[in-house]
Amino acid sequence: MSLAESFVPTPLMLSDNARARLRTLIGEEDSSGLKLRVYVTGGGCSGFQYGFDFAEEVAEDDTLIPFGEVALVVDPLSYQYLVGSTVDYEEGLAGASFLVQNPNATSTCGCGASFMV
């Protein structure tokens, strides 16, 4: 008889591109304590929009999601909209940016910066 394996789902994923860019940015700032804060606010074309910021401090009610030498921080209000998402980083003709691939979004705008659930 085999034993059941324990599985703890990761609330958010971080792509290899995003992880590499974060390492570069943290190195440029010379602050190993920096984390990428991912949040959701009202607005945008589709109702909600994603935001990104660097954070050194983590509030008591924040969720800290480590990925080796880098980490994401999410506030409790945004967390519910981001569970199961992947944070990615892309460079293209329109510029370079972090973006969220969110399976919970029922629709998104053309630029991918806003969404509806």
Side-chain angles (χ1 to χ4, degrees), residues 2 16 18 28 34 44 48 52 60 69 86 90 93 102 107 114:
S2 65
D16 291 339
E28 289 173 359
L34 283 179
F48 294 104
F52 301 94
E60 187 175 304
E69 66 284 355
T86 299
E90 288 186 354
L93 293 175
N102 189 341
S107 67
S114 67

Side-chain angles (χ1 to χ4, degrees), residues 42-57:
C45 309
S46 298
F48 294 104
Q49 60 187 2
Y50 302 110
F52 301 94
D53 195 8
F54 279 109
E56 288 186 358
E57 302 296 322

Side-chain angles (χ1 to χ4, degrees), residues 89-97 99:
Y89 177 79
E90 288 186 354
E91 294 180 2
L93 293 175
S97 64
L99 55 99

Side-chain angles (χ1 to χ4, degrees), residues 51-92:
F52 301 94
D53 195 8
F54 279 109
E56 288 186 358
E57 302 296 322
V58 177
E60 187 175 304
D61 59 349
D62 282 340
T63 299
L64 177 66
I65 308 163
F67 293 94
E69 66 284 355
V70 297
L72 298 177
V73 178
V74 182
D75 65 84
L77 182 61
S78 300
Y79 184 88
Q80 63 188 326
Y81 298 109
L82 294 169
V83 170
S85 297
T86 299
V87 176
D88 197 6
Y89 177 79
E90 288 186 354
E91 294 180 2

